[in-house]
Amino acid sequence: MHLIVGETDLFLSKDRNAQTQISLTATAPAVPALSHRASVPATPMETPDPKPHGSKIPSGWTLVKAPSLGTFYRAPKPGAPMFTEIGAQVAADSELCLIEVMKLFTTLRAGTHGTIREIYAKDGELVEFDQPLFLIEPDA
């Protein structure tokens, strides 16, 4: 297949011995020179508040954050019971939610023993990397 678009030639063949007599005369289009560079003042990036809703997290409590961006699911499938609720006791290996990225589901586990005190994301919501999702009060 030989394709010529503007000044660009493209030759594709399954035959290794195929040869083309394409002359490589394509040149890059001229880029107009910038007469001056625009000066844009740097604006500080907004960083998410590490403490959800500006509240103070008590010492020793665990804030479970999103390991990646994706869609937050509180249940394993539509209509199924939620993995956890506020006030539920969780163990380190308890499943808290699923984060879905491009049809790949990641199970997020509590990582500690305790009681779920806050759930910050809504089911089906897009969450960002490192976004707080759960607050766990450790067992006494």
Side-chain angles (χ1 to χ4, degrees), residues 13-29:
S13 176
K14 291 182 178 179
D15 184 7
R16 292 181 181 191
N17 299 322
Q19 294 184 357
T20 180
Q21 297 179 358
I22 298 172
S23 63
L24 301 175
T25 59
T27 58

Side-chain angles (χ1 to χ4, degrees), residues 29-101:
V31 177
L34 296 175
S35 60
H36 70 282
R37 291 183 179 222
S39 176
V40 178
T43 55
M45 294 180 56
E46 290 185 29
T47 56
D49 187 0
K51 299 170 189 157
H53 311 293
S55 63
K56 187 172 184 174
I57 298 173
S59 177
W61 289 31
T62 301
L63 188 61
V64 179
K65 297 179 179 181
S68 65
L69 72 98
T71 305
F72 173 83
Y73 293 107
R74 292 190 56 204
K77 61 183 180 179
M82 303 286 184
F83 287 112
T84 190
E85 296 287 344
I86 293 176
Q89 293 288 320
V90 293
D93 62 345
S94 296
E95 296 177 343
L96 298 178
C97 68
L98 295 173
I99 304 291
E100 183 259 326
V101 179

Side-chain angles (χ1 to χ4, degrees), residues 111-133:
T112 186
H113 294 268
T115 304
I116 300 290
R117 290 299 176 201
E118 294 284 342
I119 301 174
Y120 298 110
K122 295 178 183 167
D123 192 44
E125 180 181 306
L126 182 65
V127 295
E128 300 287 331
F129 167 73
D130 215 27
Q131 179 178 335
L133 300 176

